[in-house]
Amino acid sequence: MKVNDNTIMAFLLAFQGLNTSLSQQERHNLKELAKQLDSQPKAWENYIKKHLLEIIAANPELNQAYQFYKSQLDTIEEIPNYLMPTEAEISRLNTLDNAPITRGFKPKSEAIDYETQINNVAVIVGSSEQPEETVKQVTFLDKWKQFLSRSHSLN
């Protein structure tokens, strides 16, 4: 499967490895971006992507990791199906917060293709009260990291 834009995947991979917490402003910006991505996914190319890149660029540690993953992802021509997040993984992310306070929301769009599934994960992570903790629970990212390290050690 071919992917047109690796920005969100590179962000999720970089964000999962972030060693520092986001500032209140960064969390707020991420939450706003998640709302926009959920309600207007077609605005990705013209509006939302620019804002995500601004969030990334403003955080040096996140930006460095993002650039690393983005360059690796851009060299991949076909994505194996086993790297796609499963419906169960996405549902589990939605139920991580058992507290009475709703900390994320179920994405409106059904996960029908790779980019929609990645968007749904980004919406859940960005909408949570503790996005740094939520992204660490995204298990399919570990498969991606293994895949990228194997594919780049062959080159």
Side-chain angles (χ1 to χ4, degrees), residues 7-143:
T7 304
I8 292 178
M9 177 55 76
F11 164 71
L12 288 171
L13 288 164
F15 189 42
Q16 189 182 52
L18 193 65
N19 293 320
T20 56
S21 294
L22 296 178
S23 69
Q24 279 303 116
Q25 186 62 50
E26 287 173 318
R27 281 189 187 166
H28 172 76
N29 293 346
L30 193 57
K31 193 171 281 207
E32 287 301 309
L33 190 120
K35 282 184 203 171
Q36 293 167 356
L37 187 59
D38 186 50
S39 64
Q40 299 175 315
K42 289 186 177 14
W44 167 252
E45 204 56 51
N46 295 327
Y47 181 76
I48 301 169
K49 179 178 180 178
K50 180 181 115 187
H51 289 289
L52 177 59
L53 293 173
E54 288 170 359
I55 292 169
I56 294 167
N59 184 315
E61 181 188 350
L62 183 61
N63 190 38
Q64 183 177 3
Y66 168 80
Q67 297 301 332
F68 171 77
Y69 285 116
K70 181 81 168 90
S71 67
Q72 286 191 330
L73 289 166
D74 286 346
T75 65
I76 295 172
E77 293 182 24
E78 288 291 317
I79 298 171
N81 283 335
Y82 78 89
L83 291 176
M84 292 181 66
T86 64
E87 196 72 36
E89 286 174 304
I90 293 173
S91 294
R92 188 178 60 76
L93 285 175
N94 271 324
T95 59
L96 277 178
D97 298 315
N98 293 331
I101 302 167
T102 304
R103 298 189 178 197
F105 49 90
K106 184 160 176 47
K108 293 178 187 140
S109 53
E110 287 299 312
I112 51 172
D113 63 17
Y114 172 78
E115 289 175 347
T116 303
Q117 288 175 304
I118 299 305
N119 286 359
N120 286 347
V121 171
V123 166
I124 294 166
V125 168
S127 301
S128 72
E129 292 298 315
Q130 296 290 326
E132 301 95 328
E133 295 305 313
T134 304
V135 76
K136 289 183 183 352
Q137 304 301 315
V138 182
T139 55
F140 78 93
L141 292 176
D142 296 329
K143 292 188 281 188

